[in-house]
Amino acid sequence: MQDNFEEYGVRTKAIHAGERPDPTTGASAPNLVMSTTFLADPEANFSVEGLEADAPYFYTRWGNPTVHQLEQKLCALEGAEAAVAFGSGMAAISALFFHLLRSGDHLVISDVTYAAAAEMANDLLPGLGIQITKVDMSDLDAVAAALTPQTKLVYAETPCNPILRLTDIHAVAELAHSVGAVLAVDSTFATPIGTRPLTLGADFVLHSLTKYIGGHGDALGGALLGGASEIEKMRQKVAIRTGGILSPFNAWLIMRGMATLPLRMRAHEENALQVANFLEKHAKIKRVIYPGLPSHPQFALAQRQMKNFSGMLTFQVADGPAMARQLAERLKVFHYAVSLGHHRSLLFYMPTADLQASSFRLPPKQFASLQAYAGEGIFRVSIGIEDAEDLCADLAQALTAD
Ligand SMILES: *Cc1c(COP(=O)(O)O)cnc(C)c1O
């Protein structure tokens, strides 16, 4: 059985990478190893520092066979040397910050990111002595102007949650490297099927596995991927010690979801295009933003950087709060709920003023740019893999009050 699936296509990798039949039982599907502890060699050194990448299993916080299988599958799809899995996307983001940033260091972060990452940059990191500059990552001059000799990390999200603005990964990686900083990309929305940031020059890529990679809305998880030496250092010095590691049960569920990621992403994209086109023509809709539509402000970049436009879109209406109540009540197929990337379609209203007040807290010029994308507020829509006709019909009946 092959361990290295480098020469295979993405669908074969998604199914076979990291897995092989159990040598003892012949079981074809991966085992779920829930054991927290493993028989140890009495001569072994009881220290994380002595941990080698191929060390035997010792204690599940240090490493677990099922979690390790998921990490290998992630590496195969992302084209990464190494991966470390976490209990959530936020645990992966926290580990990245703890690993790379020290008091006196400077972080350049996308001014619109996943809300909890923005809140960490606003509330937690400054207290640790870390300087923060928030920039609109679609503006390369602004990125260049934000960099200083103290900049250690540039942190981007593309497409960003929730407004779907894009970052040119290759260009921002070159800027970051020019001052000796590294670039980390949150690629949760794009997935490895759409974009592989490491091949475009990023140093780290991270995912909330809770979203497309797990794909079924039933397991939280996160992962960080990159070069082997940095990732193994991060595992030893941060992941194992801060302890936000992934449960083997969730690893097993996410691995099963991940086997169908290439098929699901094709269906998400196909459905999202149909729904986006339907919404763009609908009388009640003021604006639709989807990276796969020519009307996206960065459509040329989307075409260049995304092999799959994914299933996330936003739309705006005249009276968002009233429409939110109407949709929550009338939608039959869509669930009015947060989260995204599930097989099931989800939709949620986000008022721009609330995002600004609770999470982003941007200076006026950047707030104006947020408003240019989001208006008064957006419906963030995660298009599932149901029948596109049913999704359009559900939206049609729910948007039109009788
Ligand atoms: C959901 C999400 C996260 C956080 O992931 P959790 O698994 O909920 O901790 C981070 N980044 C993006 C883009 C997300 O959508």
Side-chain angles (χ1 to χ4, degrees):
M1 264 290 174
Q2 296 261 2
D3 239 352
N4 178 357
F5 280 85
E6 207 41 59
E7 69 272 31
Y8 289 94
V10 71
R11 283 164 58 169
T12 307
K13 283 182 189 163
I15 291 168
H16 289 281
E19 300 184 11
R20 76 179 79 145
D22 180 76
T24 313
T25 63
S28 162
N31 289 325
L32 168 52
V33 180
M34 288 298 286
S35 189
T36 57
T37 195
F38 299 83
L39 295 181
D41 175 356
E43 309 298 329
N45 183 2
F46 184 72
S47 161
V48 172
E49 304 288 348
L51 188 66
E52 305 281 339
D54 59 353
Y57 295 105
F58 188 70
Y59 182 56
T60 276
R61 178 157 44 74
W62 293 28
N64 170 281
T66 307
V67 176
H68 189 60
Q69 287 188 302
L70 170 66
E71 288 170 347
Q72 288 182 320
K73 201 183 278 296
L74 286 164
C75 285
L77 285 202
E78 200 62 81
E81 282 177 17
V84 54
F86 292 90
S88 69
M90 279 314 300
I93 294 169
S94 319
L96 176 80
F97 290 161
F98 276 128
H99 179 62
L100 293 175
L101 300 172
R102 296 287 171 272
S103 179
D105 288 346
H106 178 232
L107 164 70
V108 173
I109 184 166
S110 202
D111 58 2
V112 177
T113 62
Y114 182 69
E119 288 158 20
M120 228 183 136
N122 282 330
D123 298 333
L124 215 77
L125 298 181
L128 302 174
I130 295 152
Q131 312 288 318
I132 315 284
T133 305
K134 296 178 224 170
V135 296
D136 172 353
M137 292 271 169
S138 69
D139 179 348
L140 294 175
D141 293 335
V143 178
L147 296 168
T148 76
Q150 278 67 49
T151 309
K152 288 286 173 345
L153 172 63
V154 177
Y155 181 92
E157 198 177 293
T158 183
C160 76
N161 188 353
I163 64 171
L164 306 175
R165 191 160 63 194
L166 309 179
T167 298
D168 183 334
I169 296 170
H170 180 71
V172 172
E174 284 196 337
L175 288 173
H177 296 159
S178 73
V179 297
V182 297
L183 172 65
V185 175
D186 182 338
S187 194
T188 299
F189 274 34
T191 84
I193 307 306
T195 306
R196 296 201 303 165
L198 299 174
T199 67
L200 297 172
D203 303 277
F204 296 99
V205 58
L206 63 96
H207 289 283
S208 168
L209 304 176
T210 316
K211 313 294 172 52
Y212 285 104
I213 290 180
H216 296 77
D218 51 15
L220 287 174
L224 263 172
L225 298 99
S229 76
E230 277 302 303
I231 292 291
E232 289 315 319
K233 252 192 267 170
M234 192 176 303
R235 186 193 304 280
Q236 288 184 17
K237 303 217 180 278
V238 185
I240 294 175
R241 286 173 178 161
T242 56
I245 53 88
L246 185 63
S247 131
F249 184 55
N250 279 13
W252 184 83
L253 280 172
I254 291 165
M255 188 158 41
R256 189 168 72 162
M258 204 175 160
T260 56
L261 182 68
L263 296 178
R264 284 188 287 109
M265 291 317 295
R266 196 195 279 177
H268 281 296
E269 179 189 54
E270 215 177 271
N271 279 1
L273 257 174
Q274 281 201 46
V275 174
N277 279 314
F278 160 78
L279 289 171
E280 236 180 14
K281 291 190 208 91
H282 195 283
K284 288 263 166 71
I285 307 295
K286 281 168 53 182
R287 188 175 183 192
V288 179
I289 294 186
Y290 177 62
L293 285 182
S295 58
H296 189 286
Q298 296 161 287
F299 184 55
L301 174 59
Q303 284 179 302
R304 207 163 67 235
Q305 189 168 276
M306 302 182 76
K307 274 181 20 197
N308 173 294
F309 296 120
S310 196
M312 297 304 299
L313 60 87
T314 71
F315 67 83
Q316 296 166 33
V317 299
D319 183 351
M323 185 57 85
R325 285 188 292 276
Q326 182 177 322
L327 292 184
E329 194 176 306
R330 297 182 58 126
L331 284 168
K332 296 184 179 121
V333 179
F334 280 83
H335 288 186
Y336 188 87
V338 294
S339 202
L340 56 107
H342 306 171
H343 56 339
R344 198 177 283 117
S345 291
L346 305 168
L347 165 160
F348 195 75
Y349 183 62
M350 299 179 157
T352 307
D354 288 7
L355 289 173
Q356 163 73 354
S358 62
S359 305
F360 301 140
R361 292 175 238 154
L362 301 175
K365 183 165 165 258
Q366 286 167 318
F367 182 58
S369 151
L370 166 64
Q371 277 183 312
Y373 260 81
E376 293 294 300
I378 49 169
F379 286 87
R380 185 185 67 184
V381 190
S382 173
I383 298 295
I385 58 175
E386 302 96 336
D387 291 291
E389 298 70 29
D390 294 334
L391 298 178
C392 293
D394 196 33
L395 286 165
Q397 65 80 18
L399 282 164
T400 313
D402 39 24

